[in-house]
Amino acid sequence: MSKVTKYQTGFIVALKRELSQYQYRGGEFVFSIGVLLLSMVTVAWIFTSGTLTNLPIAVIDNDGSSVSRTYIRMLEASPHLHIVDKLSSPAEARELLEQASIYAFVLIPKHFTRDMKTGRQATVVAWYSRQFLTISGTITNSLLEITETLAASAQITSLAKRGESVLAAGVNSMPVQLELRTLFNPFQNYQYFLIAGLLPAMLQVFVMVWTVFLVGREFQEQTGARWLAIGGNVYMAITAKVLPVFVVASAISIGCVNWLYGVAGWPVSGSLGLLLVGWELLIGAHIVLGVLFAGFAPNLATALSFAVFFTAPAFAYAGITFPQYAMPLVAQFWTYMLPIRTLLRLQIEQTEIGTPISNSMPELLVLVVFIVVPLPFAIRRIRTRCTTS
Amino acid sequence: MVSFWQSYWCSLAAIFRDRNVMLLVIVGPIVYSFYYPFPYSPEVVREIPVAVADMDNSSLSRQLVRLADASPDINVINVVSDSTELRQALWNGDIEGGLIIPAGFRRNIMRGETANAVVLGNGAYFMFDSLELRGFSNAVQALSAQLERRHELTLSVSPEQAAELSDPVRLDLRTTSNPIGGYSTYVVPAVAVVVLQQTLLLGICMLLGRWRESGSPYDMTFRKNRLALVFAVATICLANTLYYIGLVYWREDYPHLGQLRDLLPVVIVFSLTVAAWSVAISSCIRYRVQAVIHLIPTSIPIIFMGGFAWPIESIPTPLVAASMLVPSTVGIQAFLNVDQMGASLVQVLPELTGLFMLFIGSLALIVYRKNWPVPVDK
């Protein structure tokens, strides 16, 4: 028998042994896939509304004039805000704010109209809870925008009264106009930030935990020697072991990418093929790291705990929600140790920014490094552990 | 037959003796208390790297660049002469946004026409866009205000009146919580609740999974012993929660408004609920690592159902209803309202009631369930 065919049969036998184990562990595997898919669907479902609309706020109108009522109508007309209550006392409003029934309240002072008309500056006070950073950001932006609109119209009226043409007054009240062109995510849709980032974050947990579990179980049940013997050599044994996880994870990743950029129809400005290669490399990287963790940890439970510590909070370091450059230096360095960070940068480059493929090569290379560098250590460790057991 | 307190101490001892359970329920929360806040420790994003394409190259456009650079939100790292250079820098990730000042900017202003400038925001990242916009629009407003005041001065009597006339309505924004808008202050107190819950759940599942495999230290057919286990687990949860609220939040210097007399009942109810909930779930675990291989991906949806990052009002109703089965959902709300936002105990009664009902439900499951790990010596 030639060497190649010997390895081939070794691989096939090892794979058969591996698959036969799914006969009684298959239910567990299917359950785990189900939990993963359910989590993914839930996350996508949470953010279905996409943008923040109808955030509850309250208004206290101490002026009760036509101008103050116009202002309130302008607030109500904003798609982001929804006035749930017209209150009379700030104490009442504060209480609602504390228990998060409302996210802000606007206080229109007495003599609001009079001050405006007599050329004094009128001040509207808005209290908001900044604890909810994303929500308060949307609220303050809307409030500022609406107040500026009101101020501009008041100024134009005032200038026009003093003899300027309405057109000139309009220009003079706004000499410089700023136009915002949001590149890469023009609709300001939170789905883009979060769902696209969270799906691979959940997938990497699944891949790593299951790889650790499958490899670690051989050591726990002291079947390492048999596993190695059936595979013929360590390469065939490991490949056969992780192949089912790789196949399932790949199918899920293709499903995710297809759903995000196909069915849901989010724009892709770069190469979807390259992105898919990135996802596959991410899966590969976590499989290799999983084999490494399982090989070095003293027992299965410890290996799994470390896999959990490594993957579960990884998204916090990915730089999606909080930019990487603003992190402390040590954290910035650590982010490069997490494959998910590199994949998400690649994903943003290829879907939103539209980076040329050549500019995204460093990211791809980093993902390859995650596979190539730990692999020899993982293989050597598995070989020694299997032969000494 | 052993007494309640004997089983209580026996449970605690079993948790501390199992190194892997310890790793999850004690070491886990401690590690996360450093690991989670660390990347966010600067709290605010400042000095976002941006570039300006100044196609006008006039005194006014240069003044605008200076004003933009003075903003704490953005840092103008480069002034270029055309917009393709901006795009290239964005691709490379050197800058996160930019400003284009078109040719004829100064001429338009001097003629009394409106001049336009374009901000290129980076929508691909979470926080950049609004900060960039704020940085640039503050600069533009400062420039506008200078020009407006100059214009008003030609019509008005005094500079003060000119200033007031040029801005007839002012919005005074005041915050009741998280005054500096810190990112860590926003994320960590909410995620901490999920961390406390999930580490405990996985640890207790590991403990009962092991008992299922190799026997429990006492006879679990007695209700009293199962309740003792719940109380032992609640003790650990209580200690962990107090560690976070008392030490971690203090170390991270999060602003907090909660009074201890309002906070303590929340901590106690939360700990009891999480403990009973964990024990109820772990009674279904058949072997040691079963929960770890299945439940890890659920933490992410659990975090986002807490309603701090994405308002409850915007989450689909069936999901909101389902999320009530997880203690952290109302737990996050109760803790944030009391500790971060200064609500009194009465104001979080709805959340506490939700937790309490979950506690009763879990307890009922624990009391009536028949299938428990058998003792070692049987």
Side-chain angles (χ1 to χ4, degrees):
Chain A
M1 202 191 278
S2 78
K3 220 174 172 188
V4 178
T5 39
K6 198 185 103 197
Y7 286 154
Q8 274 177 350
T9 34
F11 174 71
I12 289 166
V13 178
L15 190 63
K16 273 186 184 158
R17 169 176 175 269
E18 187 60 31
L19 290 177
S20 72
Q21 292 185 340
Y22 283 89
Q23 279 174 355
Y24 57 98
R25 300 253 188 201
E28 297 267 319
F29 195 47
V30 170
F31 183 77
S32 220
I33 295 168
V35 171
L36 174 69
L37 293 180
L38 192 70
S39 302
M40 288 178 156
V41 170
T42 307
V43 166
W45 200 13
I46 288 175
F47 299 105
T48 35
S49 54
T51 49
L52 293 168
T53 49
N54 288 329
L55 297 168
I57 63 164
V59 180
I60 301 172
D61 184 3
N62 285 342
D63 194 43
S65 65
S66 65
V67 180
S68 71
R69 279 194 293 273
T70 309
Y71 184 60
I72 293 171
R73 270 199 299 278
M74 285 162 78
L75 293 177
E76 186 64 75
S78 161
H80 300 296
L81 307 176
H82 172 58
I83 300 173
V84 285
D85 235 332
K86 284 183 184 142
L87 303 169
S88 49
S89 84
E92 214 180 329
R94 224 184 149 118
E95 215 165 85
L96 290 176
L97 209 54
E98 281 167 1
Q99 62 201 49
S101 305
I102 54 171
Y103 296 113
F105 72 87
V106 178
L107 178 69
I108 302 169
K110 233 176 186 169
H111 310 312
F112 175 69
T113 317
R114 199 191 63 190
D115 284 351
M116 258 171 75
K117 286 194 172 151
T118 51
R120 255 173 286 172
Q121 199 172 46
T123 305
V124 176
V125 184
W127 292 87
Y128 67 106
S129 43
R130 213 168 174 186
Q131 182 62 39
F132 308 103
L133 218 53
T134 35
I135 300 169
S136 70
T138 305
I139 287 186
T140 50
N141 281 348
S142 308
L143 288 177
L144 281 169
E145 210 173 284
I146 292 162
T147 314
E148 261 165 42
T149 314
L150 187 76
S153 75
Q155 202 191 355
I156 292 169
T157 318
S158 144
L159 283 171
K161 271 188 190 155
R162 282 173 289 155
E164 280 197 20
S165 79
V166 177
L167 190 68
V171 170
N172 279 323
S173 84
M174 263 316 215
V176 183
Q177 251 173 13
L178 206 56
E179 181 193 337
L180 175 70
R181 275 189 217 152
T182 298
L183 302 173
F184 320 138
N185 184 6
F187 310 112
Q188 278 298 287
N189 193 319
Y190 282 84
Q191 289 176 323
Y192 286 83
F193 301 120
L194 288 167
I195 302 178
L198 291 172
L199 293 186
M202 289 185 274
L203 185 66
Q204 50 127 25
V205 177
F206 169 83
V207 170
M208 187 144 176
V209 162
W210 267 87
T211 308
V212 169
F213 177 62
L214 292 172
V215 175
R217 214 180 53 202
E218 296 285 356
F219 299 133
Q220 192 189 35
E221 291 170 3
Q222 292 170 337
T223 50
R226 254 196 83 214
W227 171 37
L228 193 64
I230 284 176
N233 67 19
V234 69
Y235 307 102
M236 293 302 138
I238 291 177
T239 312
K241 166 83 30 199
V242 300
L243 194 64
V245 175
F246 182 77
V247 170
V248 167
S250 294
I252 294 174
S253 72
I254 292 168
C256 287
V257 171
N258 185 46
W259 181 76
L260 288 172
Y261 305 104
V263 181
W266 295 353
V268 181
S269 335
S271 157
L272 212 53
L274 195 71
L275 178 62
L276 262 175
V277 172
W279 278 64
E280 296 299 332
L281 289 175
L282 178 84
I283 296 167
H286 282 99
I287 286 179
V288 172
L289 291 171
V291 175
L292 189 76
F293 275 43
F296 278 94
N299 61 55
L300 177 58
T302 313
L304 280 172
S305 298
F306 277 106
V308 169
F309 284 135
F310 183 73
T311 51
F315 188 74
Y317 279 77
I320 297 296
T321 50
F322 192 80
Q324 198 184 348
Y325 86 90
M327 293 176 187
L329 211 60
V330 178
Q332 281 188 44
F333 172 73
W334 176 245
T335 57
Y336 286 104
M337 298 290 115
L338 302 164
I340 186 80
R341 178 259 158 211
T342 306
L343 174 81
L344 293 183
R345 177 66 205 174
L346 179 77
Q347 182 160 292
I348 284 173
E349 286 180 352
Q350 286 310 313
T351 59
E352 297 185 34
I353 301 182
T355 312
I357 291 179
S358 57
N359 289 34
S360 281
M361 277 303 140
E363 274 76 31
L364 226 50
L365 211 66
V366 171
L367 285 172
V368 171
V369 166
F370 275 113
I371 298 176
V372 175
V373 172
L375 195 60
F377 296 98
I379 289 172
R380 194 178 304 161
R381 178 72 190 172
I382 296 294
R383 188 191 286 141
T384 41
R385 236 184 131 169
C386 284
T387 42
T388 51
S389 70
Chain B
M1 198 179 143
V2 285
S3 79
F4 177 85
W5 290 108
Q6 266 175 305
S7 310
Y8 174 84
W9 291 113
C10 188
S11 307
L12 279 181
I15 290 168
F16 284 103
R17 228 178 282 132
D18 189 324
R19 205 187 294 160
N20 288 298
V21 175
M22 266 281 282
L23 197 60
L24 281 167
V25 301
I26 308 285
V27 181
I30 294 174
V31 169
Y32 280 137
S33 76
F34 291 95
Y35 190 72
Y36 246 115
F38 183 57
Y40 309 140
S41 55
E43 284 277 15
V44 284
V45 179
R46 290 204 184 273
E47 304 285 334
I48 297 176
V50 295
V52 179
D54 184 0
M55 271 121 72
D56 192 45
N57 200 16
S58 62
S59 57
L60 276 180
S61 71
R62 281 193 295 272
Q63 195 180 350
L64 186 57
V65 174
R66 273 196 302 278
L67 285 166
D69 201 24
S71 158
D73 298 317
I74 51 180
N75 179 19
V76 180
I77 58 166
N78 204 1
V79 180
V80 296
S81 50
D82 72 299
S83 53
T84 49
E85 270 180 76
L86 276 188
R87 187 161 269 273
Q88 188 62 41
L90 274 168
W91 276 342
N92 294 339
D94 299 337
I95 56 167
E96 304 297 347
L99 178 74
I100 301 172
I101 307 174
F105 179 76
R106 181 171 182 278
R107 195 191 57 217
N108 280 349
I109 291 175
M110 287 303 146
R111 277 186 187 164
E113 288 165 13
T114 300
N116 286 306
V118 179
V119 174
L120 295 180
N122 186 347
Y125 284 93
F126 200 54
M127 297 176 94
F128 288 152
D129 211 42
S130 62
L131 284 176
E132 268 155 25
L133 185 62
R134 193 172 77 186
F136 283 124
S137 74
N138 283 350
V140 163
Q141 261 169 14
L143 186 68
S144 290
Q146 285 174 8
L147 298 168
E148 277 169 45
R149 233 167 278 164
R150 210 181 295 162
H151 179 76
E152 283 285 359
L153 262 178
T154 61
L155 300 169
S156 317
V157 237
S158 69
E160 289 78 21
Q161 199 191 2
E164 292 208 341
L165 278 173
S166 69
D167 201 4
V169 186
R170 204 171 63 87
L171 182 69
D172 185 2
L173 283 167
R174 297 179 196 176
T175 159
T176 53
S177 54
N178 192 3
I180 61 161
Y183 191 81
S184 189
T185 308
Y186 149 70
V187 167
V188 175
V191 172
V193 178
V194 178
V195 167
L196 289 166
Q197 171 190 294
Q198 295 299 95
T199 49
L200 198 76
L201 171 69
L202 292 176
I204 300 310
C205 282
M206 201 175 259
L207 185 75
L208 264 80
R210 191 184 177 184
W211 288 0
R212 187 78 76 178
E213 281 177 336
S214 49
S216 60
Y218 46 74
D219 192 346
M220 292 194 79
T221 49
F222 294 111
R223 278 174 197 165
K224 188 182 60 186
N225 287 346
R226 277 153 20 208
L227 291 182
L229 176 65
V230 170
F231 273 88
V233 176
T235 311
I236 290 173
C237 190
L238 187 80
N240 287 343
T241 313
L242 290 177
Y243 163 68
Y244 267 79
I245 288 176
L247 276 174
V248 179
Y249 296 1
W250 169 75
R251 188 194 69 213
E252 297 293 325
D253 209 12
Y254 297 144
H256 63 98
L257 299 162
Q259 305 269 324
L260 195 63
R261 65 185 147 80
D262 296 317
L263 203 51
L264 216 48
V266 180
V267 175
I268 292 170
V269 175
F270 173 74
S271 303
L272 283 170
T273 311
V274 171
W277 184 76
S278 301
V279 172
I281 291 177
S282 62
S283 69
C284 309
I285 297 297
R286 282 177 289 114
Y287 57 91
R288 209 171 177 206
V289 296
Q290 196 182 20
V292 178
I293 60 171
H294 292 320
L295 296 182
I296 304 299
T298 58
S299 299
I300 286 176
I302 286 175
I303 286 174
F304 286 99
M305 284 191 295
F308 73 100
W310 193 249
I312 304 280
E313 291 84 5
S314 300
I315 299 177
T317 330
L319 271 186
V320 175
S323 70
M324 291 300 149
L325 294 174
V326 184
S328 63
T329 308
V330 276
I332 288 174
Q333 289 153 23
F335 277 119
L336 287 187
N337 291 2
V338 173
D339 197 39
Q340 310 307 122
M341 285 151 68
S344 65
L345 194 60
V346 185
Q347 285 173 277
V348 291
L349 272 185
E351 283 82 7
L352 279 188
T353 316
L355 278 177
F356 195 70
M357 276 159 60
L358 201 56
F359 174 60
I360 298 295
S362 306
L363 221 50
L365 274 174
I366 293 167
V367 169
Y368 292 111
R369 191 179 159 85
K370 293 277 185 285
N371 184 4
W372 293 91
V374 286
V376 186
D377 41 16
K378 266 189 187 172

